Each structure stands twice: as structure tokens, then as C-alpha cells.
Amino acid sequence: QVQLVESGGGLVLAGGSLRLSCAASGRTFSRYAMAWFRQAPGKEREFVAAINWGGHSTYFADSVKGRFTIWRDNAKNTVYLQMNSLKLEDTAVYYCASGEGDTYYPGAENYGMHYWGKGTLVTVSS
């Protein structure tokens, strides 16, 4: 059973930084793509970033490009999301997701992700 547990959320001032972590278990982590999504209050869930199995291919939503970084440590079964220059509109619950394949698919539903964590809340204040 795939389990994804996010951590690192919290309250941060606009312009600040935060690092999210997602610990995965239940299968061979290094074989699968990972991604981060978020859902702001009153809005639908949206894609944030994705990374392929080996970490050498990444993809970002335009809204976070240049500010967020995604990477993974396959030895630790963990994927990270570094968020810099945070804006008020980055406030959301951030979800970790895992796919069934070794890469992500921008044209597919949820970029091909099938498993989800419970989320961690990030609040950016002014």
C-alpha cells in the first residue's frame, strides 16, 4: 500500500521560503515519478511541480517557475519542494502525489499521478 506523508508546511511571511518534504513508503520509490499539487481555499486542486524517477527531469507550473524547486532523494524515499519568494497566492494545502510510471505526463489527468498524501498547509501572510 502506497503511503505518502507530507511535512514542512506552516506560516511564512511573503517573500520568505519554506521547504516541504514527502516521505513515501509501500513500494520501490525510485521507480516512480512524483509531483506536488496544491489547493487554495475555494479553488480546485492545481499542479505545482513534477519530477521523474531519477530526478533528472522536472516540470513546473508557470505560476511557480523560477521560485520553486523539486528534487528527490531516492535513498531516503523522499521528494522535496523548495519554495522561495513566496507570495500570498501560494497559500494552499500542498499535496504530494505519486504515479504509476517513471515519468510525469503533462497532458494526462493529474499528470499521471494516482496516489496522494493528506496534504500540508502553507500559509503566506503579509
Side-chain angles (χ1 to χ4, degrees):
Q1 182 178 358
V2 177
Q3 289 190 322
L4 304 173
V5 180
E6 303 93 338
S7 60
L11 177 65
V12 62
L13 291 174
S17 299
L18 210 56
R19 178 180 297 179
L20 305 183
S21 300
C22 171
S25 61
R27 62 177 184 175
T28 305
F29 177 77
S30 60
R31 292 182 180 177
Y32 302 100
M34 300 292 295
W36 288 94
F37 288 73
R38 67 186 181 187
Q39 186 167 19
K43 295 187 177 181
E44 293 188 353
R45 186 173 61 194
E46 64 175 2
F47 169 78
V48 175
I51 188 167
N52 75 336
W53 68 275
H56 43 272
S57 178
T58 58
Y59 193 81
F60 296 91
D62 287 344
S63 59
V64 306
K65 202 172 294 183
R67 300 189 297 122
F68 290 12
T69 303
I70 185 173
W71 77 97
R72 62 193 297 162
D73 186 337
N74 285 344
K76 295 183 177 180
N77 292 349
T78 302
V79 63
Y80 304 92
L81 184 70
Q82 178 68 39
M83 305 184 293
N84 297 331
S85 302
L86 283 162
K87 303 176 181 180
L88 297 179
E89 52 264 41
D90 293 320
T91 294
V93 176
Y94 283 72
Y95 297 92
C96 176
S98 181
E100 289 287 10
D102 60 4
T103 192
Y104 47 86
Y105 302 95
E109 181 178 3
N110 292 322
Y111 285 66
M113 302 299 131
H114 293 270
Y115 301 99
W116 301 87
K118 294 182 178 181
T120 186
L121 177 63
V122 172
T123 303
V124 183
S125 65
S126 58

